[in-house]
């Protein structure tokens, strides 16, 4: 099956990045969200990213126009009726994702693959809400999507070989390097990353170091591009907490207990860059 039309549900931080790389790889993209305001915000982010590449001489104005010409925005889920492959990148909330997958299952053509960018919800649980579990798969992009090379592909228990191979090839077409993970809590990326971030938050909570010192240790001592607290602000502290809860509940192991300070920040609405305050302040 050849993928020609690529749907993205959710035009936020991850969704607009996925739409951008899909359009840059030559696919016709439909970027959908529940409100016009959200799709326009997503489209503006894509325009800004592409304009920066034009300024740097990495992309011509004509190429930028062609990429934008391949992206259609939508606020009607029924527009996905023409999609061959859809990636859902909505809020990390089970009930919301279940509803989206039920709708997509009813709307999309029978051959369409339904992928989720979930960072922690089991693929099998989402697939179970559809009548095509063999066509449901995890396609987990990293933030910021246009920059990060990885796509973590997660096979649910019912995902077919055909769906897996198509998703792998599509990831490569989009300029990414895929890696395969099985459907266990946190998959590979967040099973390793989140406990590190959570431990950095414990270091702050216990007064082992300041936010700057904790981040400096990991940046300069381990050559990480960002410190764990700055990275948590980039990912979103609500997302970090949701992933830690998934690991904690999924493994019933105290080593995954979310730090109380993380919970406190989320309760206060300090969610990181997106709200202007997390472990750091952003203007
Ligand atoms: N969107 C698009 N492009 C961006 C960007 C964004 N949000 N942020 C940075 N860039 C681009 C810049 O334009 C620049 O491009 P050029 O090379 O073409 O000039 C390039 O990235 C480097 O940016 P900067 O020079 O401004 O800054 P930097 O060198 O510090 O890189 C970074 C920024 C890429 C974010 C880097 O700090 C980094 O790799 N950080 C770690 C990110 C990471 O770990 N992501 C994974 C998070 S986990 C996740 O996403 C999964 C999950 O489920 C939680």
């Amino acid at each position: 099956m050849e993928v020609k039309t690529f749907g993205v549900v959710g035009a936020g931080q991850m969704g607009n990045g996925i739409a951008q790389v899909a359009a840059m790889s030559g696919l016709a993209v439909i970027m959908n969200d529940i409100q016009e305001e959200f799709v326009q915000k997503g489209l503006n982010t894509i325009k800004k990213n592409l304009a920066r590449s034009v300024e740097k001489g990495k992309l011509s104005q004509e190429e930028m126009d062609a990429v934008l010409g391949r992206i259609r925005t939508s606020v009607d889920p029924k527009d996905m009726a023409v999609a061959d492959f859809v990636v859902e990148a909505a809020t990390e909330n089970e009930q919301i994702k279940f509803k989206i997958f039920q709708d997509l299952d009813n709307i999309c053509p029978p051959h369409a693959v339904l992928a989720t960018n979930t960072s922690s919800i089991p693929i099998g649980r989402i697939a179970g809400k559809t009548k095509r579990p063999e066509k449901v798969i995890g396609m987990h992009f990293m933030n910021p999507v246009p920059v990060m090379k990885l796509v973590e592909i997660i096979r649910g228990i019912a995902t077919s070989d055909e769906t897996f191979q198509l998703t792998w090839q599509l990831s490569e077409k989009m300029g990414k390097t895929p890696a395969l993970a099985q459907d266990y809590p946190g998959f590979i990326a967040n099973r390793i990353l989140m406990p590190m971030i959570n431990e950095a938050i414990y270091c702050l909570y216990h007064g082992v170091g300041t936010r700057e010192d904790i981040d400096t240790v990991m940046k300069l001592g381990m050559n990480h591009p960002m410190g764990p607290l700055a990275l948590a602000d980039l990912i979103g502290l609500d997302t970090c907490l949701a992933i830690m809860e998934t690991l904690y509940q999924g493994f019933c192991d105290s080593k995954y207990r979310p730090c109380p300070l993380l919970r406190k920040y989320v309760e206060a609405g300090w969610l990181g860059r997106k709200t202007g305050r997390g472990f750091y302040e952003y203007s």
Side-chain angles (χ1 to χ4, degrees):
M1 197 247 295
E2 197 195 343
V3 176
K4 288 193 179 138
T5 305
F6 184 91
V8 184
V9 177
Q13 184 167 255
M14 299 302 287
N16 71 59
I18 297 168
Q20 179 184 325
V21 293
M24 288 178 81
S25 74
L27 294 162
V29 175
I30 305 171
M31 182 172 71
N32 171 278
D33 209 318
I34 48 174
Q35 280 183 34
E36 187 57 35
E37 185 196 337
F38 299 157
V39 284
Q40 286 312 322
K41 199 169 166 214
L43 192 61
N44 283 338
T45 303
I46 297 173
K47 283 182 184 162
K48 255 188 256 159
N49 281 341
L50 295 174
R52 211 168 42 220
S53 296
V54 172
E55 269 167 39
K56 287 178 189 163
K58 292 184 172 177
L59 198 72
S60 71
Q61 185 62 49
E62 292 69 40
E63 282 165 333
M64 170 170 165
D65 294 342
V67 171
L68 288 175
R70 284 195 284 274
I71 303 175
R72 188 179 133 200
T73 59
S74 141
V75 288
D76 184 352
K78 292 196 188 72
D79 291 336
M80 291 301 170
V82 294
D84 303 306
F85 194 108
V86 180
V87 178
E88 166 278 320
T91 314
E92 194 67 1
N93 172 302
E94 243 179 43
Q95 296 309 320
I96 292 175
K97 289 194 194 284
F98 290 167
K99 170 82 172 70
I100 291 172
F101 272 78
Q102 278 160 350
D103 289 348
L104 288 173
D105 195 27
N106 289 330
I107 293 165
C108 295
H111 71 268
V113 167
L114 308 180
T116 172
N117 182 56
T118 183
S119 45
S120 62
I121 300 170
I123 306 308
R125 200 178 293 167
I126 295 174
K129 300 289 165 195
T130 73
K131 294 185 283 305
R132 59 177 97 188
E134 73 288 353
K135 291 193 182 300
V136 176
I137 193 162
M139 194 180 190
H140 183 209
F141 291 82
M142 302 292 128
N143 186 10
V145 180
V147 183
M148 308 305 283
K149 295 289 288 178
L150 178 73
V151 171
E152 186 180 32
I153 295 179
I154 305 106
R155 277 190 85 147
I157 195 162
T159 309
S160 69
D161 285 346
E162 198 189 354
T163 300
F164 165 65
Q165 271 148 21
L166 183 75
T167 309
W168 188 277
Q169 284 157 12
L170 192 60
S171 305
E172 289 181 333
K173 181 178 159 80
M174 289 165 79
K176 303 295 180 194
T177 302
L180 172 62
Q182 301 301 328
D183 193 13
Y184 289 102
F187 318 132
I188 297 174
N190 284 319
R191 171 109 173 239
I192 299 173
L193 175 68
M194 278 305 153
M196 185 200 71
I197 288 179
N198 196 47
E199 207 54 38
I201 302 170
Y202 266 109
C203 283
L204 186 67
Y205 178 60
H206 289 150
V208 182
T210 62
R211 60 186 185 181
E212 288 83 4
D213 285 329
I214 292 165
D215 277 353
T216 299
V217 165
M218 297 307 286
K219 266 168 69 181
L220 303 186
M222 285 75 189
N223 238 359
H224 289 193
M226 295 172 96
L229 300 175
L231 181 57
D233 280 354
L234 174 73
I235 294 167
L237 303 193
D238 50 343
T239 303
C240 294
L241 180 59
I243 298 168
M244 284 311 297
E245 300 275 26
T246 300
L247 291 171
Y248 192 37
Q249 285 159 17
F251 291 113
C252 300
D253 187 332
S254 64
K255 77 176 176 180
Y256 298 114
R257 73 270 173 261
C259 178
L261 189 63
L262 173 60
R263 202 180 291 284
K264 198 168 176 173
Y265 274 42
V266 171
E267 281 164 0
W270 297 0
L271 306 183
R273 286 195 193 189
K274 62 185 166 188
T275 57
R277 177 154 200 182
F279 293 107
Y280 295 89
E281 297 79 37
Y282 304 88
S283 49

